[in-house]
Protein backbone atom coordinates (compact mmCIF):
# COMPACT_ATOMS: atom_id res chain seq x y z
CA UNK A 1 0.00 0.00 0.00
CA UNK A 2 1.13 3.54 -0.79
CA UNK A 3 0.14 6.59 1.21
CA UNK A 4 0.32 9.99 -0.52
CA UNK A 5 0.00 13.34 1.21
CA UNK A 6 -0.16 16.58 -0.77
CA UNK A 7 0.63 20.03 0.57
CA UNK A 8 1.33 23.54 -0.65
CA UNK A 9 -2.01 24.61 -2.04
CA UNK A 10 -3.19 28.13 -1.25
CA UNK A 11 -4.85 31.27 -2.59
CA UNK A 12 -2.59 33.22 -4.94
CA UNK A 13 -2.94 35.97 -7.53
CA UNK A 14 -2.81 35.37 -11.26
CA UNK A 15 0.76 35.43 -12.52
CA UNK A 16 2.14 34.03 -9.27
CA UNK A 17 4.09 30.86 -8.69
CA UNK A 18 3.35 27.99 -6.33
CA UNK A 19 5.02 24.69 -5.52
CA UNK A 20 3.02 21.64 -4.48
CA UNK A 21 4.55 18.69 -2.67
CA UNK A 22 3.48 15.08 -2.43
CA UNK A 23 5.12 12.91 0.22
CA UNK A 24 4.93 9.17 -0.34
CA UNK A 25 5.23 6.34 2.13
CA UNK A 26 4.53 2.65 2.31
CA UNK A 27 6.58 1.46 -0.65
CA UNK A 28 10.01 2.16 -2.04
CA UNK A 29 9.59 5.55 -3.65
CA UNK A 30 12.01 4.79 -6.45
CA UNK A 31 9.69 2.01 -7.61
CA UNK A 32 6.80 4.40 -8.17
CA UNK A 33 5.71 6.28 -11.25
CA UNK A 34 3.96 9.46 -10.17
CA UNK A 35 1.68 12.15 -11.56
CA UNK A 36 -0.43 15.17 -10.74
CA UNK A 37 -4.07 15.61 -11.69
CA UNK A 38 -6.52 18.36 -10.89
CA UNK A 39 -10.25 18.74 -10.57
CA UNK A 40 -12.14 21.99 -10.85
CA UNK A 41 -15.69 22.31 -9.47
CA UNK A 42 -18.18 20.56 -11.71
CA UNK A 43 -15.48 19.12 -13.98
CA UNK A 44 -13.82 15.76 -14.38
CA UNK A 45 -10.38 15.11 -12.96
CA UNK A 46 -7.76 16.07 -15.55
CA UNK A 47 -4.12 15.32 -16.12
CA UNK A 48 -1.46 17.87 -15.23
CA UNK A 49 1.93 16.16 -15.32
CA UNK A 50 3.73 12.87 -14.82
CA UNK A 51 7.22 11.67 -14.03
CA UNK A 52 8.23 8.04 -14.15
CA UNK A 53 10.83 6.39 -11.95
CA UNK A 54 13.48 7.00 -14.61
CA UNK A 55 12.80 10.74 -14.49
CA UNK A 56 11.02 11.02 -17.81
CA UNK A 57 8.35 13.72 -17.70
CA UNK A 58 5.19 14.44 -19.62
CA UNK A 59 2.75 17.36 -19.73
CA UNK A 60 -0.44 18.27 -21.55
CA UNK A 61 -0.36 21.38 -23.72
CA UNK A 62 -2.45 23.31 -21.19
CA UNK A 63 0.45 23.49 -18.70
CA UNK A 64 3.54 22.84 -20.83
CA UNK A 65 6.10 25.56 -20.32
CA UNK A 66 4.45 26.77 -17.09
CA UNK A 67 4.47 23.70 -14.84
CA UNK A 68 7.38 21.45 -13.95
CA UNK A 69 7.19 18.09 -12.21
CA UNK A 70 10.25 16.74 -10.44
CA UNK A 71 11.04 14.31 -7.68
CA UNK A 72 13.49 14.00 -4.82
CA UNK A 73 14.00 10.30 -4.19
CA UNK A 74 15.95 10.98 -0.99
CA UNK A 75 12.88 12.72 0.45
CA UNK A 76 10.29 10.35 -1.09
CA UNK A 77 8.61 13.41 -2.51
CA UNK A 78 7.33 14.54 -5.89
CA UNK A 79 6.81 18.23 -6.59
CA UNK A 80 4.81 20.35 -8.98
CA UNK A 81 6.27 23.79 -9.64
CA UNK A 82 3.59 26.02 -11.12
CA UNK A 83 4.54 29.36 -12.68
CA UNK A 84 2.47 32.04 -14.40
CA UNK A 85 -0.66 30.78 -12.75
CA UNK A 86 -4.00 31.56 -14.36
CA UNK A 87 -7.49 31.72 -12.93
CA UNK A 88 -8.33 28.57 -14.88
CA UNK A 89 -5.67 26.68 -12.92
CA UNK A 90 -7.96 26.86 -9.90
CA UNK A 91 -8.71 23.32 -8.76
CA UNK A 92 -8.03 20.65 -6.20
CA UNK A 93 -4.70 19.10 -7.13
CA UNK A 94 -4.17 15.39 -6.56
CA UNK A 95 -1.01 13.35 -6.46
CA UNK A 96 -1.19 9.89 -7.99
CA UNK A 97 1.15 6.92 -8.17
CA UNK A 98 1.45 3.51 -9.76
CA UNK A 99 4.03 0.78 -9.67
CA UNK A 100 3.67 -0.44 -13.23
CA UNK A 101 3.61 1.66 -16.40
CA UNK A 102 0.44 0.08 -17.72
CA UNK A 103 -2.08 2.32 -19.41
CA UNK A 104 -1.87 5.90 -20.58
CA UNK A 105 0.09 8.41 -18.53
CA UNK A 106 -2.81 10.84 -18.65
CA UNK A 107 -5.57 8.45 -17.60
CA UNK A 108 -7.05 8.51 -14.10
CA UNK A 109 -7.68 4.78 -14.41
CA UNK A 110 -3.96 4.06 -14.85
CA UNK A 111 -3.10 5.04 -11.26
CA UNK A 112 -3.61 2.86 -8.20
CA UNK A 113 -2.86 5.30 -5.43
CA UNK A 114 -4.19 8.79 -4.74
CA UNK A 115 -3.69 11.51 -2.20
CA UNK A 116 -6.46 13.50 -0.56
CA UNK A 117 -5.85 16.63 -2.63
CA UNK A 118 -4.77 20.19 -1.97
CA UNK A 119 -6.73 23.29 -3.00
CA UNK A 120 -5.16 25.83 -5.34
CA UNK A 121 -7.12 29.00 -5.92
CA UNK A 122 -5.90 31.62 -8.38
CA UNK A 123 -7.58 34.99 -8.17
CA UNK A 124 -7.89 36.97 -11.39
Amino acid sequence: QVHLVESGGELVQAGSSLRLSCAASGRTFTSLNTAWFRQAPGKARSYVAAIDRAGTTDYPDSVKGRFTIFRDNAKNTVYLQMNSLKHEDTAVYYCAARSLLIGAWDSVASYNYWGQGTQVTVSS
Side-chain angles (χ1 to χ4, degrees):
Q1 190 69 10
V2 175
H3 188 52
L4 303 172
V5 179
E6 303 97 331
S7 62
E10 61 180 85
L11 170 64
V12 296
Q13 291 187 334
S16 299
S17 296
L18 197 61
R19 179 178 293 182
L20 306 182
S21 301
C22 172
S25 61
R27 180 171 289 188
T28 303
F29 184 69
T30 52
S31 72
L32 296 175
N33 302 286
T34 54
W36 288 93
F37 287 75
R38 64 187 179 186
Q39 188 165 17
K43 296 188 177 181
R45 195 167 296 189
S46 62
Y47 174 63
V48 176
I51 182 168
D52 68 9
R53 53 193 177 193
T56 302
T57 59
D58 182 71
Y59 306 90
D61 289 342
S62 58
V63 306
K64 195 173 294 183
R66 298 191 299 122
F67 291 10
T68 302
I69 187 171
F70 60 100
R71 54 194 289 164
D72 185 336
N73 290 336
K75 296 183 177 180
N76 292 347
T77 300
V78 59
Y79 302 92
L80 183 68
Q81 177 66 42
M82 304 185 292
N83 298 330
S84 302
L85 282 163
K86 305 175 182 180
H87 177 66
E88 50 264 43
D89 294 318
T90 295
V92 177
Y93 283 71
Y94 295 91
C95 179
R98 54 179 175 167
S99 299
L100 301 177
L101 277 176
I102 298 175
W105 285 41
D106 62 353
S107 172
V108 169
S110 297
Y111 295 85
N112 310 97
Y113 309 105
W114 293 87
Q116 83 289 346
T118 186
Q119 176 71 48
V120 173
T121 303
V122 184
S123 63
S124 55

